[in-house]
């Protein structure tokens, strides 16, 4: 790294020069919107065992607990909105500064903020369907505990522990990440496989933005410690004079 540059200045210079920038986000991208992450101090998995509430086994064997957990997540989502950082990433796509977003998040905030090319590796909470046949239903149907017309119970459209990732999104994510000349990884502990393998697949420059350091950060070309929204705003000042 050029020592005359701050990490943010270096990141902005790489993004400016890049022929293809891909952004890879995790739960830390949405905590400033009010959605808790999973593994930091107040994360969901510090209070609840994911296998008890967010696994295929939980859905099939203790539906009430599963339903209660996801109802809470829907209610949290109803109160929250994308923040300035989501909006800036969408504006960067419109300006040609970002090619695609690959996300582990299920809140739909990137699309809500205007991003077009988004690959959701862990599904989308609001894509409710029935467990047995995949018939579509609504979030309200799920929250109210309704069943599908076919009689099956409902589930949110998220990938549960023990389930495969959506293969289309996975393949597209690999494709864009392999072609990227800059990969910006934001707000993830990089603990969950197989998605934590994706950043290793790029030949481009790698930038890691997170509020705390995690072991995998040591492999990155550039690390910026701080809040996702603040850092994205700072980068936007450097790249676009603050406009979005
Ligand atoms: P984690 O909770 O594991 O990691 C989130 C990371 O973001 C932590 O390192 C936090 O320190 C950091 N963070 C929190 N707020 C931040 C902020 N405002 N700015 C910057 N960093 C911040 O979440 P993920 O890595 O996304 O999977 O978790 C991956 C998957 O594990 C999730 O998609 C979910 C979960 O089980 C499924 O549900 C399938």
């Amino acid at each position: 790294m050029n020592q005359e540059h701050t990490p943010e200045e270096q990141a902005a210079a790489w993004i400016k020069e890049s022929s293809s920038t891909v952004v890879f986000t995790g739960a830390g991208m949405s905590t400033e919107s009010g959605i808790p992450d999973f593994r930091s101090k107040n994360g969901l998995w510090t209070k609840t065992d994911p296998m008890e509430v967010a696994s295929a086994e939980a859905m099939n064997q203790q539906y009430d607990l599963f339903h209660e957990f996801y109802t809470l997540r829907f209610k949290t989502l109803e109160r929250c909105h994308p923040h300035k950082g989501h909006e800036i990433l969408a504006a960067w796509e419109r300006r040609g500064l970002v090619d695609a977003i690959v996300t582990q998040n299920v809140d739909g905030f990137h699309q809500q903020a205007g991003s077009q090319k988004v690959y959701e590796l862990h599904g989308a909470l609001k894509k409710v369907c029935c467990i047995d046949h995949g018939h579509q239903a609504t979030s309200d149907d799920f929250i109210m505990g309704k069943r599908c017309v076919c009689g099956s119970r409902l589930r949110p459209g998220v990938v549960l522990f023990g389930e495969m990732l959506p293969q289309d999104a996975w393949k597209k994510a690999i494709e864009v990440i392999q072609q990227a000349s800059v990969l910006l990884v934001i707000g993830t502990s990089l603990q969950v496989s197989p998605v934590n393998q994706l950043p290793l697949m790029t030949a481009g420059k790698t930038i890691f933005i997170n509020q705390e350091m995690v072991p995998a950060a040591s492999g990155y070309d550039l690390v910026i410690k701080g809040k996702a929204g603040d850092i994205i705003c700072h980068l936007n000042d450097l790249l676009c004079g603050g406009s979005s």
Side-chain angles (χ1 to χ4, degrees):
M1 191 180 94
N2 181 344
Q3 291 305 311
E4 288 169 15
H5 286 172
T6 64
E8 282 90 343
E9 283 167 350
Q10 182 64 80
W14 284 348
I15 294 168
K16 211 173 211 166
E17 288 159 13
S18 164
S19 56
S20 169
T21 295
V22 172
V23 181
F24 175 80
T25 59
M29 180 70 210
S30 293
T31 54
E32 287 156 85
S33 289
I35 300 195
D37 66 8
F38 298 96
R39 295 177 184 79
S40 60
K41 199 160 51 85
N42 297 315
L44 292 176
W45 299 158
T46 60
K47 302 175 193 104
T48 311
D49 176 355
M51 298 317 285
E52 295 280 320
V53 292
S55 63
E57 207 180 333
M59 178 176 73
N60 294 322
Q61 292 180 11
Q62 36 194 33
Y63 185 82
D64 288 351
L65 264 182
F66 167 83
H67 183 264
E68 187 185 343
F69 175 74
Y70 278 103
T71 296
L72 265 176
R73 292 201 63 192
F74 272 112
K75 301 239 162 174
T76 305
L77 188 58
E78 273 171 15
R79 300 194 293 271
C80 298
H81 306 281
H83 59 68
K84 187 78 183 156
H86 293 98
E87 283 165 17
I88 289 171
L89 293 180
W92 286 0
E93 184 184 9
R94 290 193 293 275
R95 288 169 177 257
L97 288 169
V98 158
D99 269 13
I101 294 188
V102 173
T103 189
Q104 298 168 82
N105 298 343
V106 297
D107 50 38
F109 282 179
H110 288 300
Q111 295 94 324
Q112 216 174 304
S115 290
Q116 302 283 321
K117 214 189 219 187
V118 181
Y119 302 118
E120 294 176 309
L121 298 174
H122 288 163
L125 202 58
K126 286 184 175 168
K127 290 191 181 148
V128 173
C129 65
C130 79
I131 296 172
D132 292 345
H133 302 104
H135 298 139
Q136 283 182 15
T138 66
S139 310
D140 284 344
D141 291 338
F142 176 82
I143 291 168
M144 287 189 288
K146 284 191 184 169
R147 284 183 183 250
C148 180
V149 282
C150 72
S152 164
R153 284 172 152 154
L154 303 179
R155 60 168 294 170
V158 299
V159 176
L160 300 172
F161 285 91
E163 291 185 327
M164 292 272 291
L165 300 193
Q167 288 303 292
D168 278 3
W170 175 246
K171 284 185 193 145
K172 286 284 188 190
I174 291 178
E175 203 177 288
V176 293
I177 284 174
Q178 282 179 336
Q179 286 165 8
S181 37
V182 171
L183 180 67
L184 197 57
V185 176
I186 307 176
T188 172
S189 64
L190 292 166
Q191 282 191 40
V192 173
S193 175
V195 293
N196 61 358
Q197 300 306 304
L198 286 172
L200 308 173
M201 295 182 190
T202 188
K205 299 237 168 40
T206 50
I207 304 169
F208 185 62
I209 299 173
N210 214 55
Q211 73 179 8
E212 64 184 0
M213 280 311 102
V214 300
S218 61
Y220 281 71
D221 296 316
L222 188 64
V223 173
I224 307 178
K225 195 170 170 212
K227 287 191 169 184
D230 294 347
I231 307 240
I232 294 168
C233 284
H234 189 181
L235 291 176
N236 194 51
D237 289 342
L238 296 167
L239 282 163
C240 311
S243 61
S244 60

